[in-house]
Amino acid sequence: MQTDNASKAPVPKHLAIVMDGNGRWARSRHLPRTEGHRRGVNSARAVIEACAQRGVEVLTLFAFSSENWRRPESEVSALMELFITALRREIGTLAAKGIRMRFIGAREAFTVRLQAAMTEAEVRTRDNHVMTLVVAVNYGGRWDITQAAEHMKLEEVAQESHETALASGLATAGLPDPDLFIRTGGERRLSNFLLWQLAYTELYFTDVLWPDFDVAELDQAFVDYGRRQRRFGRTGEQVESRV
Ligand code: FPP
């Protein structure tokens, strides 16, 4: 339930989330890890809906990292199956809610079937404007920067515009950088997520495991975000005198 404080909290324009703790959630209940991921989809659904309702413009979810291939093969294939089933099941609702979908990451590593489902979801929702849902799959921040640098080399960019040119080659080109980063599951690290884009992002870590992360937890993160003073290198006094 949304609290009074939460309804007054400013929402981030772009929220990025590392959904961690599915495996531990399942293990603590003597369930297979894949059950944790299945429950994680429920949390993702609730968070996507709440973000759209609260006016978040871009929500980026880290669903599968470049390093997640190192997991046992059975878990990787269960995750792939889950992605495709969830996508097929949810796409109608997401489209009806005005959500635009975008996938970032080296998607050519996935099966043709999964790649086709991702492209289909992007095409079907491309004219939607309520919120952009970015799902990072086989994504790594270093991969992103490296491929942007390769792109820049090919373009032979003028010296003074290197920073802009690099940003325009990133997988998130055209989207604002995240204002708020949330990581559930107790770890306090970025794990190779959006390394360039998180330069000035407010970081929020919670011990809550992703399957237990509900709308009340999301609102709590927004309240905490609302208390932060974003200075972008300026002094606190300079920021206060601008409001
Ligand atoms: C991290 O928990 C979670 C993942 C690697 C998978 C994330 C996927 C989902 C939540 C489901 C799909 C979501 C979408 C948007 C389709 P972990 O396994 O690392 O947990 P642990 O640290 O407790 O082992």
Side-chain angles (χ1 to χ4, degrees), residues 154-218:
L154 294 174
E155 300 280 304
E156 290 184 13
V157 177
Q159 193 68 31
E160 67 275 16
S161 57
H162 274 168
E163 185 171 326
T164 321
L166 196 132
S168 73
L170 292 169
T172 51
L175 300 172
D177 286 341
D179 304 289
L180 177 65
F181 163 95
I182 297 177
R183 182 175 187 141
T184 62
E187 312 289 357
R188 274 126 178 96
R189 54 178 172 252
L190 301 182
S191 297
N192 200 17
F193 194 33
L194 303 173
L195 296 178
W196 173 282
Q197 297 88 335
L198 292 174
Y200 282 100
T201 304
E202 297 298 327
L203 307 179
Y204 180 88
F205 298 98
T206 170
D207 292 338
V208 173
L209 304 174
W210 179 250
D212 290 329
F213 191 86
D214 57 14
V215 174
E217 297 291 344
L218 177 75

Side-chain angles (χ1 to χ4, degrees), residues 19-25 33 37 40-41 44 61-63 68 71 75 79 82-83 86 135 210:
M19 310 174 287
D20 199 10
N22 295 345
R24 279 165 286 158
W25 182 93
R33 291 176 57 82
H37 296 314
V41 175
L61 300 177
F62 205 3
N68 284 151
R71 293 187 174 209
E75 182 170 340
L79 270 170
L82 187 66
F83 291 155
V135 182
W210 179 250

Side-chain angles (χ1 to χ4, degrees), residues 48-49 52-53 91-99 128-131:
I48 293 165
E49 190 170 324
Q53 281 170 354
I91 188 62
T93 315
L94 294 172
K97 287 185 191 294
I99 292 168
N128 287 350
H129 295 291
V130 173
M131 184 177 82

Side-chain angles (χ1 to χ4, degrees), residues 5 23 25 36 81 90 103 117 120 146 153 180 183 225 238:
N5 266 352
W25 182 93
E81 218 32 64
E90 308 292 340
F103 292 89
E120 208 178 296
T146 307
K153 204 165 70 187
L180 177 65
R183 182 175 187 141
Y225 169 72
Q238 281 177 307

Side-chain angles (χ1 to χ4, degrees), residues 99-174:
I99 292 168
R100 181 170 67 133
M101 285 205 76
R102 178 160 160 181
F103 292 89
I104 58 168
R107 68 171 83 179
E108 59 279 4
F110 296 114
T111 61
V112 172
R113 196 164 67 109
L114 186 48
Q115 287 185 57
M118 292 193 274
T119 307
E120 208 178 296
E122 287 173 328
V123 171
R124 180 164 170 188
T125 62
R126 70 180 160 206
D127 296 323
N128 287 350
H129 295 291
V130 173
M131 184 177 82
T132 299
L133 171 62
V134 182
V135 182
V137 284
N138 194 21
Y139 176 86
R142 289 183 177 175
W143 163 84
D144 199 3
I145 296 169
T146 307
Q147 58 98 37
E150 290 290 334
H151 175 258
M152 197 167 81
K153 204 165 70 187
L154 294 174
E155 300 280 304
E156 290 184 13
V157 177
Q159 193 68 31
E160 67 275 16
S161 57
H162 274 168
E163 185 171 326
T164 321
L166 196 132
S168 73
L170 292 169
T172 51

